[in-house]
Amino acid sequence: MNMYQLQQFHIQPMMKMDNTMRKRERSKAMEKERLQVMDLSGMSLEFLPKPSLDLATICKLDLSNNNLQEIPESLTARLLNVEVLDVRSNQLNSLPNSIGCLSKLKVLNVSGNFIESLPKTIENCRALEELNANFNKLSKLPDTIGFELINLKKLSVNSNKLVFLPSSTSHLTALKVLDARLNCLRALPEDLENLINLETLNVSQNFQYLETIPYSIGLLWSLVELDVSYNNIKTLPESIGCLKNLQKLSVEGNPLTCPPMEVVEQGLHVVMEYMHHKINSSDQNKTKKRWWMGKIVKCGTFNKQFRNGKRPEHVGYNMLKHQNINGLASPGFMGMLSPLRLFSPHRSPRHFFS
């Protein structure tokens, strides 16, 4: 085989691969053009009309501001390509179980209804990035919601009747905004340090119910805004002094004794200095300090997520030197240990209708 034949021998398979990739790209482009937006908002609908088009061609469905009392199971099951579903401001008491079929769903807005609980099948919407369920009657969220919604960036459940957030909430490692104000929260999950990307945490106006904030809040390195106003909190954890990126702290409406109100009134920088002093003080409880150090070591397993690849350093507080345990406590590894994966057979969303 001469040099020319050798070149042709290598070039032809590459050309075939290139042509195949181009065909796939064209197919994807055609598929995207085929998808449509259906807007049925503000039409005072009590029932959904029989659709005049293939539901699989819809990428966004807006049913907001109507009088719908239910969403048919059969309809939801056929929205195979929907990415945005907006059913806010209706009369819904529940969501269909077939919501779990929406494998491409990124934004779900069910605010302003009468929903008392979310279907467990919502965990199958693994592409979900934003969930808005404000102004409903939710008394709880699915226990394992945090194990599967690994792409969720915004969870907004304000103005409900939530007593607790499930412990699995701490596994939502992509979460940037958590809004749980105007509920009946008694406590927050203890292992908040896993929320490595959380920038905004609002648990205000839980009034007499919420009395404490977990010490682990000091490990939320990305936190920019913290609102715990109008609760029954007497003492803020000293660990707040380690939140180097914090820009806004709202604590009004609490019977605070630590930090004292005269410190709070002087602004965030004074509060942070006060907390720095508290966490480094000689009378700090030694058991709590050892616990805090252990948490920092654990949090170190997420070091790749820190901004600019560096761990924040806080004035007057020496971080421990430690050996990283690569992957063992990482979100990906913990996701593999999800109860849904360990104890349940993997089921395709379409099995709901088989």
Side-chain angles (χ1 to χ4, degrees):
M1 182 180 289
N2 58 35
M3 184 63 69
Y4 176 77
Q5 290 174 323
L6 186 62
Q7 289 176 343
Q8 292 298 311
F9 179 79
H10 288 290
I11 290 173
Q12 287 179 3
M14 291 176 65
M15 290 177 64
K16 288 181 180 178
M17 289 176 62
D18 190 45
N19 289 334
T20 302
M21 290 178 65
R22 287 179 181 175
K23 286 180 181 178
R24 287 177 180 173
E25 288 176 1
R26 282 198 298 267
S27 177
K28 287 181 181 178
M30 291 174 63
E31 177 78 14
K32 195 169 183 179
E33 290 177 3
R34 189 171 67 90
L35 297 178
Q36 303 180 44
V37 174
M38 178 177 280
D39 187 353
L40 298 176
S41 61
M43 299 178 67
S44 301
L45 296 176
E46 295 184 6
F47 303 97
L48 286 175
K50 186 175 181 180
S52 58
L53 52 85
D54 182 4
L55 293 177
T57 65
I58 298 175
C59 64
K60 178 180 179 180
L61 178 58
D62 188 349
L63 300 173
S64 63
N65 296 293
N66 282 295
N67 298 314
L68 299 174
Q69 296 186 19
E70 66 174 354
I71 306 293
E73 294 274 358
S74 58
L75 179 141
T76 312
R78 289 180 288 159
L79 294 169
L80 301 179
N81 288 297
V82 73
E83 295 183 0
V84 178
L85 178 59
D86 189 347
V87 294
R88 70 182 188 275
S89 300
N90 276 283
Q91 306 292 320
L92 300 176
N93 292 306
S94 62
L95 294 177
N97 285 320
S98 56
I99 197 86
C101 295
L102 308 184
S103 60
K104 296 183 180 180
L105 187 64
K106 293 183 179 180
V107 178
L108 175 61
N109 193 335
V110 299
S111 300
N113 283 284
F114 301 98
I115 299 171
E116 296 181 1
S117 63
L118 297 175
K120 193 174 185 300
T121 54
I122 199 171
E123 296 168 357
N124 294 321
C125 302
R126 294 184 181 91
L128 197 63
E129 296 180 1
E130 184 174 326
L131 174 57
N132 294 309
N134 308 319
F135 295 97
N136 277 285
K137 294 185 176 182
L138 294 174
S139 57
K140 65 177 183 176
L141 298 175
D143 290 337
T144 53
I145 192 171
F147 293 129
E148 298 297 340
L149 298 184
I150 58 175
N151 294 302
L152 196 65
K153 296 178 181 178
K154 180 179 180 180
L155 176 59
S156 190
V157 288
N158 73 63
S159 308
N160 279 283
K161 299 180 179 180
L162 295 173
V163 177
F164 295 103
L165 295 175
S167 59
S168 67
T169 304
S170 62
H171 288 259
L172 295 171
T173 54
L175 200 64
K176 291 187 176 183
V177 177
L178 175 55
D179 181 1
R181 59 198 149 118
L182 283 163
N183 278 283
C184 305
L185 293 179
R186 264 69 170 177
L188 298 177
E190 287 294 330
D191 296 331
L192 291 178
E193 69 269 18
N194 293 344
L195 301 181
I196 53 177
N197 290 300
L198 193 66
E199 297 176 358
T200 300
L201 175 60
N202 191 333
V203 290
S204 65
Q205 299 176 77
N206 283 279
F207 302 105
Q208 75 270 24
Y209 301 106
L210 189 59
E211 297 182 349
T212 59
I213 300 295
Y215 208 78
S216 59
I217 199 169
L219 292 170
L220 298 179
W221 308 118
S222 300
L223 201 63
V224 174
E225 182 176 341
L226 174 61
D227 191 342
V228 296
S229 58
Y230 297 99
N231 288 301
N232 198 25
I233 300 170
K234 297 179 177 65
T235 303
L236 293 179
E238 299 95 336
S239 59
I240 284 179
C242 293
L243 297 175
K244 189 174 181 180
N245 292 311
L246 195 66
Q247 296 177 14
K248 183 178 180 181
L249 175 63
S250 300
V251 297
E252 66 271 18
N254 285 287
L256 276 179
T257 57
C258 179
M261 286 309 299
E262 55 266 27
V263 171
V264 173
E265 289 169 357
Q266 295 180 63
L268 177 60
H269 69 286
V270 178
V271 172
M272 297 297 278
E273 288 177 5
Y274 181 89
M275 292 305 192
H276 276 276
H277 176 73
K278 289 286 289 184
I279 203 170
N280 286 285
S281 62
S282 57
D283 61 348
Q284 175 75 21
N285 183 283
K286 291 182 179 180
T287 302
K288 180 179 283 189
K289 214 164 199 177
R290 283 197 298 270
W291 174 90
W292 177 236
M293 293 294 189
K295 286 285 187 177
I296 288 176
V297 172
K298 179 183 176 184
C299 192
T301 61
F302 301 127
N303 67 331
K304 293 181 181 179
Q305 300 289 339
F306 290 121
R307 294 175 180 175
N308 303 319
K310 297 181 180 179
R311 181 187 310 282
E313 294 182 0
H314 302 280
V315 178
Y317 192 78
N318 296 320
M319 309 298 270
L320 285 181
K321 301 290 184 182
H322 64 277
Q323 182 71 31
N324 286 339
I325 306 174
N326 292 328
L328 280 183
S330 67
F333 186 86
M334 295 305 292
M336 292 172 62
L337 300 181
S338 162
L340 293 179
R341 291 184 177 144
L342 287 177
F343 304 114
S344 300
H346 179 70
R347 296 180 63 84
S348 168
R350 295 182 184 178
H351 287 174
F352 288 110
F353 302 95
S354 60

